[in-house]
PDB file of all heavy atoms in Angstrom:
ATOM      1  N   ASP L   1      51.224 -13.117 -39.015  1.00  0.00           N
ATOM      2  CA  ASP L   1      50.883 -14.047 -40.089  1.00  0.00           C
ATOM      3  C   ASP L   1      51.781 -13.854 -41.317  1.00  0.00           C
ATOM      4  O   ASP L   1      52.111 -14.804 -42.010  1.00  0.00           O
ATOM      5  CB  ASP L   1      49.424 -13.863 -40.524  1.00  0.00           C
ATOM      6  CG  ASP L   1      48.451 -14.439 -39.516  1.00  0.00           C
ATOM      7  OD1 ASP L   1      48.893 -15.227 -38.656  1.00  0.00           O
ATOM      8  OD2 ASP L   1      47.254 -14.099 -39.595  1.00  0.00           O
ATOM      9  N   CYS L   2      52.170 -12.633 -41.564  1.00  0.00           N
ATOM     10  CA  CYS L   2      52.914 -12.300 -42.782  1.00  0.00           C
ATOM     11  C   CYS L   2      54.409 -12.579 -42.644  1.00  0.00           C
ATOM     12  O   CYS L   2      55.021 -13.107 -43.556  1.00  0.00           O
ATOM     13  CB  CYS L   2      52.685 -10.838 -43.120  1.00  0.00           C
ATOM     14  SG  CYS L   2      53.454 -10.337 -44.648  1.00  0.00           S
ATOM     15  N   GLY L   3      54.995 -12.210 -41.545  1.00  0.00           N
ATOM     16  CA  GLY L   3      56.433 -12.389 -41.362  1.00  0.00           C
ATOM     17  C   GLY L   3      57.212 -11.154 -41.789  1.00  0.00           C
ATOM     18  O   GLY L   3      56.766 -10.385 -42.635  1.00  0.00           O
ATOM     19  N   SER L   4      58.366 -10.973 -41.211  1.00  0.00           N
ATOM     20  CA  SER L   4      59.142  -9.756 -41.468  1.00  0.00           C
ATOM     21  C   SER L   4      59.757  -9.743 -42.867  1.00  0.00           C
ATOM     22  O   SER L   4      59.899  -8.685 -43.475  1.00  0.00           O
ATOM     23  CB  SER L   4      60.230  -9.591 -40.411  1.00  0.00           C
ATOM     24  OG  SER L   4      61.119 -10.686 -40.455  1.00  0.00           O
ATOM     25  N   LYS L   5      60.130 -10.905 -43.397  1.00  0.00           N
ATOM     26  CA  LYS L   5      60.698 -10.945 -44.749  1.00  0.00           C
ATOM     27  C   LYS L   5      59.667 -10.511 -45.786  1.00  0.00           C
ATOM     28  O   LYS L   5      59.975  -9.779 -46.718  1.00  0.00           O
ATOM     29  CB  LYS L   5      61.214 -12.336 -45.082  1.00  0.00           C
ATOM     30  CG  LYS L   5      62.524 -12.682 -44.410  1.00  0.00           C
ATOM     31  CD  LYS L   5      63.033 -14.013 -44.883  1.00  0.00           C
ATOM     32  CE  LYS L   5      64.350 -14.340 -44.184  1.00  0.00           C
ATOM     33  NZ  LYS L   5      64.885 -15.611 -44.641  1.00  0.00           N
ATOM     34  N   LYS L   6      58.445 -10.984 -45.622  1.00  0.00           N
ATOM     35  CA  LYS L   6      57.375 -10.622 -46.547  1.00  0.00           C
ATOM     36  C   LYS L   6      57.081  -9.127 -46.452  1.00  0.00           C
ATOM     37  O   LYS L   6      56.910  -8.457 -47.470  1.00  0.00           O
ATOM     38  CB  LYS L   6      56.119 -11.444 -46.228  1.00  0.00           C
ATOM     39  CG  LYS L   6      54.952 -11.192 -47.134  1.00  0.00           C
ATOM     40  CD  LYS L   6      55.108 -11.900 -48.428  1.00  0.00           C
ATOM     41  CE  LYS L   6      53.782 -11.861 -49.176  1.00  0.00           C
ATOM     42  NZ  LYS L   6      53.854 -12.540 -50.425  1.00  0.00           N
ATOM     43  N   ALA L   7      57.063  -8.585 -45.239  1.00  0.00           N
ATOM     44  CA  ALA L   7      56.810  -7.159 -45.052  1.00  0.00           C
ATOM     45  C   ALA L   7      57.927  -6.335 -45.696  1.00  0.00           C
ATOM     46  O   ALA L   7      57.669  -5.314 -46.338  1.00  0.00           O
ATOM     47  CB  ALA L   7      56.682  -6.827 -43.568  1.00  0.00           C
ATOM     48  N   ALA L   8      59.164  -6.774 -45.549  1.00  0.00           N
ATOM     49  CA  ALA L   8      60.293  -6.067 -46.153  1.00  0.00           C
ATOM     50  C   ALA L   8      60.196  -6.112 -47.681  1.00  0.00           C
ATOM     51  O   ALA L   8      60.485  -5.114 -48.359  1.00  0.00           O
ATOM     52  CB  ALA L   8      61.608  -6.672 -45.684  1.00  0.00           C
ATOM     53  N   TYR L   9      59.788  -7.254 -48.229  1.00  0.00           N
ATOM     54  CA  TYR L   9      59.608  -7.373 -49.675  1.00  0.00           C
ATOM     55  C   TYR L   9      58.528  -6.402 -50.151  1.00  0.00           C
ATOM     56  O   TYR L   9      58.712  -5.715 -51.171  1.00  0.00           O
ATOM     57  CB  TYR L   9      59.234  -8.803 -50.067  1.00  0.00           C
ATOM     58  CG  TYR L   9      58.753  -8.903 -51.487  1.00  0.00           C
ATOM     59  CD1 TYR L   9      59.664  -8.902 -52.540  1.00  0.00           C
ATOM     60  CD2 TYR L   9      57.390  -8.964 -51.785  1.00  0.00           C
ATOM     61  CE1 TYR L   9      59.239  -8.961 -53.855  1.00  0.00           C
ATOM     62  CE2 TYR L   9      56.951  -9.023 -53.096  1.00  0.00           C
ATOM     63  CZ  TYR L   9      57.866  -9.021 -54.122  1.00  0.00           C
ATOM     64  OH  TYR L   9      57.437  -9.065 -55.424  1.00  0.00           O
ATOM     65  N   ILE L  10      57.429  -6.333 -49.427  1.00  0.00           N
ATOM     66  CA  ILE L  10      56.335  -5.439 -49.814  1.00  0.00           C
ATOM     67  C   ILE L  10      56.809  -3.986 -49.785  1.00  0.00           C
ATOM     68  O   ILE L  10      56.508  -3.208 -50.695  1.00  0.00           O
ATOM     69  CB  ILE L  10      55.102  -5.653 -48.907  1.00  0.00           C
ATOM     70  CG1 ILE L  10      54.492  -7.035 -49.172  1.00  0.00           C
ATOM     71  CG2 ILE L  10      54.055  -4.571 -49.132  1.00  0.00           C
ATOM     72  CD1 ILE L  10      53.404  -7.441 -48.195  1.00  0.00           C
ATOM     73  N   GLU L  11      57.574  -3.616 -48.764  1.00  0.00           N
ATOM     74  CA  GLU L  11      58.085  -2.246 -48.680  1.00  0.00           C
ATOM     75  C   GLU L  11      59.011  -1.934 -49.858  1.00  0.00           C
ATOM     76  O   GLU L  11      58.946  -0.846 -50.439  1.00  0.00           O
ATOM     77  CB  GLU L  11      58.830  -2.039 -47.368  1.00  0.00           C
ATOM     78  CG  GLU L  11      57.919  -1.971 -46.163  1.00  0.00           C
ATOM     79  CD  GLU L  11      58.676  -1.949 -44.840  1.00  0.00           C
ATOM     80  OE1 GLU L  11      59.924  -2.061 -44.846  1.00  0.00           O
ATOM     81  OE2 GLU L  11      58.015  -1.809 -43.802  1.00  0.00           O
ATOM     82  N   THR L  12      59.855  -2.879 -50.217  1.00  0.00           N
ATOM     83  CA  THR L  12      60.769  -2.683 -51.347  1.00  0.00           C
ATOM     84  C   THR L  12      59.989  -2.553 -52.654  1.00  0.00           C
ATOM     85  O   THR L  12      60.286  -1.689 -53.483  1.00  0.00           O
ATOM     86  CB  THR L  12      61.757  -3.863 -51.446  1.00  0.00           C
ATOM     87  OG1 THR L  12      62.459  -3.975 -50.213  1.00  0.00           O
ATOM     88  CG2 THR L  12      62.729  -3.681 -52.588  1.00  0.00           C
ATOM     89  N   ARG L  13      59.000  -3.401 -52.821  1.00  0.00           N
ATOM     90  CA  ARG L  13      58.170  -3.368 -54.038  1.00  0.00           C
ATOM     91  C   ARG L  13      57.403  -2.053 -54.132  1.00  0.00           C
ATOM     92  O   ARG L  13      57.305  -1.461 -55.211  1.00  0.00           O
ATOM     93  CB  ARG L  13      57.211  -4.564 -54.037  1.00  0.00           C
ATOM     94  CG  ARG L  13      56.358  -4.680 -55.267  1.00  0.00           C
ATOM     95  CD  ARG L  13      57.122  -5.244 -56.433  1.00  0.00           C
ATOM     96  NE  ARG L  13      56.212  -5.390 -57.559  1.00  0.00           N
ATOM     97  CZ  ARG L  13      56.528  -5.093 -58.796  1.00  0.00           C
ATOM     98  NH1 ARG L  13      57.737  -4.710 -59.093  1.00  0.00           N
ATOM     99  NH2 ARG L  13      55.653  -5.228 -59.764  1.00  0.00           N
ATOM    100  N   ILE L  14      56.878  -1.565 -53.009  1.00  0.00           N
ATOM    101  CA  ILE L  14      56.170  -0.287 -52.992  1.00  0.00           C
ATOM    102  C   ILE L  14      57.111   0.832 -53.422  1.00  0.00           C
ATOM    103  O   ILE L  14      56.746   1.692 -54.239  1.00  0.00           O
ATOM    104  CB  ILE L  14      55.564  -0.001 -51.603  1.00  0.00           C
ATOM    105  CG1 ILE L  14      54.340  -0.894 -51.371  1.00  0.00           C
ATOM    106  CG2 ILE L  14      55.178   1.471 -51.458  1.00  0.00           C
ATOM    107  CD1 ILE L  14      53.764  -0.816 -49.969  1.00  0.00           C
ATOM    108  N   ALA L  15      58.326   0.839 -52.893  1.00  0.00           N
ATOM    109  CA  ALA L  15      59.293   1.887 -53.243  1.00  0.00           C
ATOM    110  C   ALA L  15      59.597   1.859 -54.743  1.00  0.00           C
ATOM    111  O   ALA L  15      59.663   2.916 -55.397  1.00  0.00           O
ATOM    112  CB  ALA L  15      60.568   1.713 -52.433  1.00  0.00           C
ATOM    113  N   MET L  16      59.775   0.662 -55.297  1.00  0.00           N
ATOM    114  CA  MET L  16      60.067   0.537 -56.722  1.00  0.00           C
ATOM    115  C   MET L  16      58.888   1.025 -57.571  1.00  0.00           C
ATOM    116  O   MET L  16      59.064   1.779 -58.527  1.00  0.00           O
ATOM    117  CB  MET L  16      60.392  -0.913 -57.070  1.00  0.00           C
ATOM    118  CG  MET L  16      60.858  -1.099 -58.501  1.00  0.00           C
ATOM    119  SD  MET L  16      61.073  -2.817 -58.952  1.00  0.00           S
ATOM    120  CE  MET L  16      59.371  -3.295 -59.188  1.00  0.00           C
ATOM    121  N   LEU L  17      57.681   0.604 -57.190  1.00  0.00           N
ATOM    122  CA  LEU L  17      56.496   1.017 -57.941  1.00  0.00           C
ATOM    123  C   LEU L  17      56.261   2.520 -57.835  1.00  0.00           C
ATOM    124  O   LEU L  17      55.858   3.164 -58.810  1.00  0.00           O
ATOM    125  CB  LEU L  17      55.268   0.247 -57.459  1.00  0.00           C
ATOM    126  CG  LEU L  17      55.211  -1.216 -57.861  1.00  0.00           C
ATOM    127  CD1 LEU L  17      54.107  -1.936 -57.110  1.00  0.00           C
ATOM    128  CD2 LEU L  17      55.022  -1.364 -59.364  1.00  0.00           C
ATOM    129  N   GLN L  18      56.520   3.100 -56.662  1.00  0.00           N
ATOM    130  CA  GLN L  18      56.363   4.547 -56.500  1.00  0.00           C
ATOM    131  C   GLN L  18      57.308   5.300 -57.422  1.00  0.00           C
ATOM    132  O   GLN L  18      56.933   6.319 -58.008  1.00  0.00           O
ATOM    133  CB  GLN L  18      56.624   4.961 -55.051  1.00  0.00           C
ATOM    134  CG  GLN L  18      55.487   4.652 -54.120  1.00  0.00           C
ATOM    135  CD  GLN L  18      55.816   4.956 -52.665  1.00  0.00           C
ATOM    136  OE1 GLN L  18      56.959   4.827 -52.232  1.00  0.00           O
ATOM    137  NE2 GLN L  18      54.813   5.356 -51.919  1.00  0.00           N
ATOM    138  N   GLU L  19      58.525   4.798 -57.554  1.00  0.00           N
ATOM    139  CA  GLU L  19      59.497   5.440 -58.435  1.00  0.00           C
ATOM    140  C   GLU L  19      59.028   5.384 -59.889  1.00  0.00           C
ATOM    141  O   GLU L  19      59.061   6.395 -60.601  1.00  0.00           O
ATOM    142  CB  GLU L  19      60.861   4.763 -58.308  1.00  0.00           C
ATOM    143  CG  GLU L  19      61.922   5.393 -59.175  1.00  0.00           C
ATOM    144  CD  GLU L  19      63.260   4.696 -59.079  1.00  0.00           C
ATOM    145  OE1 GLU L  19      63.406   3.716 -58.318  1.00  0.00           O
ATOM    146  OE2 GLU L  19      64.178   5.136 -59.783  1.00  0.00           O
ATOM    147  N   ILE L  20      58.559   4.230 -60.325  1.00  0.00           N
ATOM    148  CA  ILE L  20      58.114   4.066 -61.709  1.00  0.00           C
ATOM    149  C   ILE L  20      56.870   4.903 -61.993  1.00  0.00           C
ATOM    150  O   ILE L  20      56.822   5.667 -62.957  1.00  0.00           O
ATOM    151  CB  ILE L  20      57.847   2.579 -62.019  1.00  0.00           C
ATOM    152  CG1 ILE L  20      59.159   1.802 -61.994  1.00  0.00           C
ATOM    153  CG2 ILE L  20      57.131   2.409 -63.358  1.00  0.00           C
ATOM    154  CD1 ILE L  20      58.985   0.296 -61.956  1.00  0.00           C
ATOM    155  N   VAL L  21      55.861   4.775 -61.139  1.00  0.00           N
ATOM    156  CA  VAL L  21      54.611   5.507 -61.336  1.00  0.00           C
ATOM    157  C   VAL L  21      54.864   7.011 -61.249  1.00  0.00           C
ATOM    158  O   VAL L  21      54.337   7.790 -62.055  1.00  0.00           O
ATOM    159  CB  VAL L  21      53.542   5.040 -60.317  1.00  0.00           C
ATOM    160  CG1 VAL L  21      52.342   5.957 -60.320  1.00  0.00           C
ATOM    161  CG2 VAL L  21      53.120   3.615 -60.625  1.00  0.00           C
ATOM    162  N   GLY L  22      55.693   7.426 -60.299  1.00  0.00           N
ATOM    163  CA  GLY L  22      56.009   8.850 -60.165  1.00  0.00           C
ATOM    164  C   GLY L  22      56.710   9.395 -61.393  1.00  0.00           C
ATOM    165  O   GLY L  22      56.416  10.509 -61.852  1.00  0.00           O
ATOM    166  N   ALA L  23      57.636   8.625 -61.949  1.00  0.00           N
ATOM    167  CA  ALA L  23      58.356   9.066 -63.150  1.00  0.00           C
ATOM    168  C   ALA L  23      57.404   9.191 -64.337  1.00  0.00           C
ATOM    169  O   ALA L  23      57.477  10.168 -65.100  1.00  0.00           O
ATOM    170  CB  ALA L  23      59.483   8.089 -63.468  1.00  0.00           C
ATOM    171  N   ILE L  24      56.507   8.229 -64.503  1.00  0.00           N
ATOM    172  CA  ILE L  24      55.557   8.292 -65.627  1.00  0.00           C
ATOM    173  C   ILE L  24      54.569   9.434 -65.427  1.00  0.00           C
ATOM    174  O   ILE L  24      54.252  10.164 -66.373  1.00  0.00           O
ATOM    175  CB  ILE L  24      54.849   6.938 -65.830  1.00  0.00           C
ATOM    176  CG1 ILE L  24      55.870   5.885 -66.266  1.00  0.00           C
ATOM    177  CG2 ILE L  24      53.726   7.055 -66.863  1.00  0.00           C
ATOM    178  CD1 ILE L  24      55.327   4.464 -66.345  1.00  0.00           C
ATOM    179  N   ASP L  25      54.094   9.634 -64.201  1.00  0.00           N
ATOM    180  CA  ASP L  25      53.195  10.758 -63.926  1.00  0.00           C
ATOM    181  C   ASP L  25      53.871  12.092 -64.228  1.00  0.00           C
ATOM    182  O   ASP L  25      53.281  12.986 -64.837  1.00  0.00           O
ATOM    183  CB  ASP L  25      52.718  10.733 -62.472  1.00  0.00           C
ATOM    184  CG  ASP L  25      51.707   9.630 -62.198  1.00  0.00           C
ATOM    185  OD1 ASP L  25      51.109   9.101 -63.169  1.00  0.00           O
ATOM    186  OD2 ASP L  25      51.518   9.289 -61.015  1.00  0.00           O
ATOM    187  N   SER L  26      55.114  12.222 -63.801  1.00  0.00           N
ATOM    188  CA  SER L  26      55.881  13.437 -64.068  1.00  0.00           C
ATOM    189  C   SER L  26      56.062  13.647 -65.567  1.00  0.00           C
ATOM    190  O   SER L  26      55.899  14.760 -66.080  1.00  0.00           O
ATOM    191  CB  SER L  26      57.239  13.346 -63.363  1.00  0.00           C
ATOM    192  OG  SER L  26      58.061  14.412 -63.713  1.00  0.00           O
ATOM    193  N   LEU L  27      56.395  12.580 -66.267  1.00  0.00           N
ATOM    194  CA  LEU L  27      56.565  12.644 -67.714  1.00  0.00           C
ATOM    195  C   LEU L  27      55.273  13.107 -68.384  1.00  0.00           C
ATOM    196  O   LEU L  27      55.298  13.987 -69.255  1.00  0.00           O
ATOM    197  CB  LEU L  27      56.973  11.270 -68.250  1.00  0.00           C
ATOM    198  CG  LEU L  27      57.101  11.139 -69.760  1.00  0.00           C
ATOM    199  CD1 LEU L  27      58.376  11.826 -70.241  1.00  0.00           C
ATOM    200  CD2 LEU L  27      57.099   9.685 -70.171  1.00  0.00           C
ATOM    201  N   ARG L  28      54.161  12.567 -67.955  1.00  0.00           N
ATOM    202  CA  ARG L  28      52.870  12.910 -68.560  1.00  0.00           C
ATOM    203  C   ARG L  28      52.525  14.378 -68.354  1.00  0.00           C
ATOM    204  O   ARG L  28      51.880  14.990 -69.200  1.00  0.00           O
ATOM    205  CB  ARG L  28      51.765  12.021 -67.997  1.00  0.00           C
ATOM    206  CG  ARG L  28      51.887  10.582 -68.458  1.00  0.00           C
ATOM    207  CD  ARG L  28      50.808   9.723 -67.891  1.00  0.00           C
ATOM    208  NE  ARG L  28      49.545  10.008 -68.579  1.00  0.00           N
ATOM    209  CZ  ARG L  28      48.380   9.509 -68.206  1.00  0.00           C
ATOM    210  NH1 ARG L  28      48.311   8.702 -67.166  1.00  0.00           N
ATOM    211  NH2 ARG L  28      47.291   9.797 -68.877  1.00  0.00           N
ATOM    212  N   ARG L  29      52.940  14.948 -67.225  1.00  0.00           N
ATOM    213  CA  ARG L  29      52.685  16.372 -66.975  1.00  0.00           C
ATOM    214  C   ARG L  29      53.548  17.260 -67.868  1.00  0.00           C
ATOM    215  O   ARG L  29      53.162  18.386 -68.174  1.00  0.00           O
ATOM    216  CB  ARG L  29      52.947  16.718 -65.511  1.00  0.00           C
ATOM    217  CG  ARG L  29      51.867  16.234 -64.558  1.00  0.00           C
ATOM    218  CD  ARG L  29      52.049  16.794 -63.164  1.00  0.00           C
ATOM    219  NE  ARG L  29      53.292  16.364 -62.533  1.00  0.00           N
ATOM    220  CZ  ARG L  29      53.445  15.244 -61.853  1.00  0.00           C
ATOM    221  NH1 ARG L  29      52.424  14.416 -61.703  1.00  0.00           N
ATOM    222  NH2 ARG L  29      54.600  14.930 -61.307  1.00  0.00           N
ATOM    223  N   GLU L  30      54.704  16.766 -68.274  1.00  0.00           N
ATOM    224  CA  GLU L  30      55.667  17.591 -69.002  1.00  0.00           C
ATOM    225  C   GLU L  30      55.562  17.502 -70.522  1.00  0.00           C
ATOM    226  O   GLU L  30      56.002  18.411 -71.216  1.00  0.00           O
ATOM    227  CB  GLU L  30      57.089  17.202 -68.589  1.00  0.00           C
ATOM    228  CG  GLU L  30      57.390  17.511 -67.150  1.00  0.00           C
ATOM    229  CD  GLU L  30      58.730  16.958 -66.697  1.00  0.00           C
ATOM    230  OE1 GLU L  30      59.493  16.454 -67.544  1.00  0.00           O
ATOM    231  OE2 GLU L  30      58.998  17.023 -65.489  1.00  0.00           O
ATOM    232  N   ILE L  31      55.013  16.423 -71.044  1.00  0.00           N
ATOM    233  CA  ILE L  31      54.999  16.255 -72.503  1.00  0.00           C
ATOM    234  C   ILE L  31      53.820  16.991 -73.129  1.00  0.00           C
ATOM    235  O   ILE L  31      52.862  17.370 -72.459  1.00  0.00           O
ATOM    236  CB  ILE L  31      54.978  14.758 -72.903  1.00  0.00           C
ATOM    237  CG1 ILE L  31      53.729  14.060 -72.362  1.00  0.00           C
ATOM    238  CG2 ILE L  31      56.252  14.067 -72.459  1.00  0.00           C
ATOM    239  CD1 ILE L  31      53.594  12.610 -72.802  1.00  0.00           C
ATOM    240  N   SER L  32      53.906  17.182 -74.436  1.00  0.00           N
ATOM    241  CA  SER L  32      52.845  17.869 -75.177  1.00  0.00           C
ATOM    242  C   SER L  32      51.602  16.982 -75.270  1.00  0.00           C
ATOM    243  O   SER L  32      51.659  15.773 -75.031  1.00  0.00           O
ATOM    244  CB  SER L  32      53.342  18.217 -76.582  1.00  0.00           C
ATOM    245  OG  SER L  32      53.545  17.024 -77.325  1.00  0.00           O
ATOM    246  N   GLU L  33      50.507  17.607 -75.665  1.00  0.00           N
ATOM    247  CA  GLU L  33      49.263  16.857 -75.839  1.00  0.00           C
ATOM    248  C   GLU L  33      49.412  15.809 -76.940  1.00  0.00           C
ATOM    249  O   GLU L  33      48.850  14.720 -76.850  1.00  0.00           O
ATOM    250  CB  GLU L  33      48.108  17.806 -76.186  1.00  0.00           C
ATOM    251  CG  GLU L  33      47.617  18.621 -75.017  1.00  0.00           C
ATOM    252  CD  GLU L  33      46.444  19.520 -75.394  1.00  0.00           C
ATOM    253  OE1 GLU L  33      45.703  19.172 -76.345  1.00  0.00           O
ATOM    254  OE2 GLU L  33      46.280  20.553 -74.738  1.00  0.00           O
ATOM    255  N   GLU L  34      50.174  16.151 -77.964  1.00  0.00           N
ATOM    256  CA  GLU L  34      50.373  15.209 -79.076  1.00  0.00           C
ATOM    257  C   GLU L  34      51.170  13.981 -78.617  1.00  0.00           C
ATOM    258  O   GLU L  34      50.860  12.852 -78.997  1.00  0.00           O
ATOM    259  CB  GLU L  34      51.088  15.912 -80.225  1.00  0.00           C
ATOM    260  CG  GLU L  34      50.935  15.174 -81.533  1.00  0.00           C
ATOM    261  CD  GLU L  34      51.345  16.022 -82.705  1.00  0.00           C
ATOM    262  OE1 GLU L  34      52.560  16.154 -82.926  1.00  0.00           O
ATOM    263  OE2 GLU L  34      50.445  16.534 -83.390  1.00  0.00           O
ATOM    264  N   ASP L  35      52.180  14.209 -77.778  1.00  0.00           N
ATOM    265  CA  ASP L  35      52.943  13.079 -77.246  1.00  0.00           C
ATOM    266  C   ASP L  35      52.089  12.242 -76.293  1.00  0.00           C
ATOM    267  O   ASP L  35      52.207  11.020 -76.258  1.00  0.00           O
ATOM    268  CB  ASP L  35      54.211  13.557 -76.538  1.00  0.00           C
ATOM    269  CG  ASP L  35      55.277  14.028 -77.514  1.00  0.00           C
ATOM    270  OD1 ASP L  35      55.161  13.733 -78.721  1.00  0.00           O
ATOM    271  OD2 ASP L  35      56.231  14.691 -77.073  1.00  0.00           O
ATOM    272  N   GLU L  36      51.221  12.901 -75.545  1.00  0.00           N
ATOM    273  CA  GLU L  36      50.294  12.180 -74.660  1.00  0.00           C
ATOM    274  C   GLU L  36      49.360  11.305 -75.503  1.00  0.00           C
ATOM    275  O   GLU L  36      49.095  10.154 -75.151  1.00  0.00           O
ATOM    276  CB  GLU L  36      49.484  13.168 -73.816  1.00  0.00           C
ATOM    277  CG  GLU L  36      48.414  12.538 -72.965  1.00  0.00           C
ATOM    278  CD  GLU L  36      48.938  11.787 -71.749  1.00  0.00           C
ATOM    279  OE1 GLU L  36      50.065  12.032 -71.319  1.00  0.00           O
ATOM    280  OE2 GLU L  36      48.177  10.936 -71.226  1.00  0.00           O
TER     281      GLU L  36
END
């Protein structure tokens, strides 16, 4: 029902979101409480 192009788009979007969310999560672990 979805098609291979749609599945490929979803995989690409997941990879991009994982990179962004992972970077922000990492940043939050490293910064001071005041910066948080």
Side-chain angles (χ1 to χ4, degrees):
D1 285 344
C2 184
S4 61
K5 284 185 180 181
K6 182 79 168 181
Y9 168 78
I10 292 171
E11 288 172 356
T12 303
R13 183 78 177 139
I14 286 173
M16 186 186 77
L17 288 169
Q18 283 175 327
E19 181 182 359
I20 293 166
V21 169
I24 294 173
D25 287 342
S26 173
L27 176 74
R28 290 180 74 187
R29 285 190 297 274
E30 295 172 8
I31 61 176
S32 67
E33 286 182 27
E34 198 166 78
D35 286 345
E36 175 74 20

